[in-house]
Amino acid sequence: MSKRAKAAGGGLLELIKTLVYALVLAGIIRTLLFQPFWIPSGSMKDTLLIGDFLFVNKFAYGYSAMSCPSYKSFNLCGAFEDKEGRLLGSMPERGDVVVFRHPATGEDYIKRLIGLPGDTVETRGGRVILNGEPVPQDPAGSFTETYLAQGPMGSFPRCLRDGPVGLGGECSKEKFTETLPGGKSYSVLNIDDTPADDKGPFTVPEGHFFFMGDNRDNSVDSRFSPAANGVGFVPYRNLIGRADRIIFSSAGASILYFWTWRGDRFFKAVN
């Protein structure tokens, strides 16, 4: 074999080794540190918009079998799915925006933590009642967006009480500032009077949590059981991580459509 052939073979081997090392490093980072997450729906508006891209802080709550990357029904840690508990576990705080594994479908969801173990949660007239006390809501004007298809799925936003809005028109929702016990404040939206405005009371079991979307009339969350195509109570082991910061945001059907980028959301903290 010529020296040139040996050099070419050695170069190919080094390239393969570099790619393997890169993949292993990426897998370790994704499993233990940060997981990328695209926002596919409007259930967390206006905190998170369709097309926001963020990294989920996976060491915020420690690690369980759900911390491994998964694709639909496939989980790299599938052999450990029946194991309870968490490694280096810590409790989330009320008001955290959390990515978790759906208890029934295994899909990744992102919602806000409202109820801790032992809490009683209900909604009355669209207001959250937590342990018998209404959670304060203060009017904060409105949230307005353009009535156009959003994201790769091309979904259209819902507008206040389904008022007639044409393509390119203004689509508004009522906006409030909600403040949880402990002082955590964030925006919530109201679109219409819906059955979800009056749900519960629910008592959160030990080792479980109660989640809601900030866009209250457009969120499938713990107010609905998995049997009713909802989320129900989420076990501690199903928590994947905390959403801390938006890295990038695009309103279009593709990340390549640079004219749809939302420059004001780059590196924005998640409240």
Side-chain angles (χ1 to χ4, degrees), residues 40-42 45 50 148-157:
S41 74
K45 292 179 180 177
I50 296 175
L148 290 172
Q150 298 177 346
M153 297 175 64
S155 57
F156 286 85

Side-chain angles (χ1 to χ4, degrees), residues 64-257:
S64 73
M66 303 298 176
S67 299
C68 285
S70 66
Y71 179 73
K72 295 185 178 179
S73 60
F74 174 73
N75 184 356
L76 290 178
C77 293
F80 304 99
E81 284 191 350
D82 293 333
K83 302 294 184 183
E84 296 295 333
R86 302 182 74 90
L87 178 66
L88 304 176
S90 60
M91 289 292 287
E93 296 182 4
R94 197 192 312 275
D96 283 356
V97 177
V98 180
V99 173
F100 58 87
R101 195 70 50 81
H102 190 289
T105 68
E107 296 177 277
D108 289 349
Y109 274 50
I110 185 166
K111 306 289 180 185
R112 190 176 299 276
L113 176 56
I114 300 295
L116 299 173
D119 282 345
T120 298
V121 185
E122 59 183 308
T123 54
R124 290 290 173 261
R127 295 279 299 274
V128 175
I129 313 297
L130 185 60
N131 296 323
E133 296 293 331
V135 174
Q137 273 190 2
D138 297 314
S142 63
F143 169 69
T144 302
E145 56 188 332
T146 305
Y147 188 74
L148 290 172
Q150 298 177 346
M153 297 175 64
S155 57
F156 286 85
R158 290 179 58 195
C159 309
L160 184 63
R161 291 176 176 81
D162 292 324
V165 175
L167 282 176
E170 290 189 346
C171 178
S172 296
K173 304 164 184 58
E174 293 177 333
K175 183 175 176 178
F176 300 86
T177 299
E178 188 169 88
T179 304
L180 291 170
K184 178 73 172 182
S185 295
Y186 48 89
S187 297
V188 295
L189 303 181
N190 176 60
I191 302 173
D192 205 345
D193 298 326
T194 71
D197 289 341
D198 296 283
K199 300 287 287 185
F202 308 94
T203 300
V204 185
E206 188 65 30
H208 291 72
F209 300 92
F210 189 97
F211 289 93
M212 294 178 68
D214 291 349
N215 190 2
R216 294 286 161 79
D217 296 328
N218 197 45
S219 175
V220 176
D221 50 41
S222 293
R223 291 172 292 177
F224 308 91
S225 70
N229 298 318
V231 172
F233 302 121
V234 177
Y236 181 38
R237 67 191 299 272
N238 284 48
L239 305 190
I240 294 174
R242 184 182 64 220
D244 289 335
R245 189 170 297 274
I246 299 164
I247 304 301
F248 176 85
S249 185
S250 174
S254 169
I255 192 175
L256 300 178
Y257 297 169

